Amino acid sequence: MSDVMRDFPGLEPIRQRFRATLADRQSDVAHHALEAWNASQEGGTPKAVARHLKEVRNRLHTIAGSAGSLGYGELGEAAFHGEAEIISYLEREDAATSAAVPADVIYAINTFIERCGAAIDGD
């Protein structure tokens, strides 16, 4: 049991609700990441790629803010890292003219999705 859970046993119902919502959040992140990737591979516009990456960023931001405080430190770190990678990419000048999704962004999103799976499974 983590220190958070020992110190605040009333958090367990909140953790359970958080964990129950993760599958939907994981699915949303995966959906928008895939749509961004598809747009980058199928002649989509930079605007379409950015729109989907912003959706991923928004979801990761929400999770990054709550995961760590509920005892899911690795998940929170993965969400924060993914959010930071997306922000860094979207702030680049070439993001407005290129529909490519950098490998670092895809890797960070994939890491988050994997960590989500572990949290859902109770690892």
Side-chain angles (χ1 to χ4, degrees):
M1 179 179 283
S2 72
D3 291 340
V4 171
M5 297 312 297
R6 250 192 316 278
D7 294 342
F8 301 101
L11 283 180
E12 187 54 32
I14 297 168
R15 283 174 46 90
Q16 289 173 357
R17 278 189 303 236
F18 176 80
R19 202 169 42 243
T21 66
L22 277 180
D24 287 340
R25 291 176 176 189
Q26 179 189 41
S27 178
D28 285 347
V29 167
H31 166 76
H32 284 289
L34 183 59
E35 289 298 318
W37 178 258
N38 287 340
S40 75
Q41 299 300 304
E42 298 170 357
T45 66
K47 197 174 210 173
V49 170
R51 179 171 44 86
H52 288 291
L53 289 179
K54 286 175 184 177
E55 290 293 332
V56 173
R57 178 201 61 203
N58 293 343
R59 284 159 178 78
L60 294 179
H61 177 79
T62 300
I63 294 168
S66 54
S69 64
L70 293 174
Y72 297 104
E74 287 186 7
L75 177 62
E77 289 173 20
F80 177 78
H81 180 69
E83 177 189 13
E85 287 290 336
I86 292 169
I87 289 170
S88 177
Y89 168 68
L90 292 174
E91 289 177 347
R92 291 178 10 192
E93 286 184 32
D94 64 331
T97 58
S98 170
V101 179
D104 291 347
V105 171
I106 295 299
Y107 181 78
I109 294 169
N110 188 60
T111 299
F112 166 78
I113 290 169
E114 289 175 353
R115 298 261 167 86
C116 245
I120 291 166
D121 293 340
D123 295 344

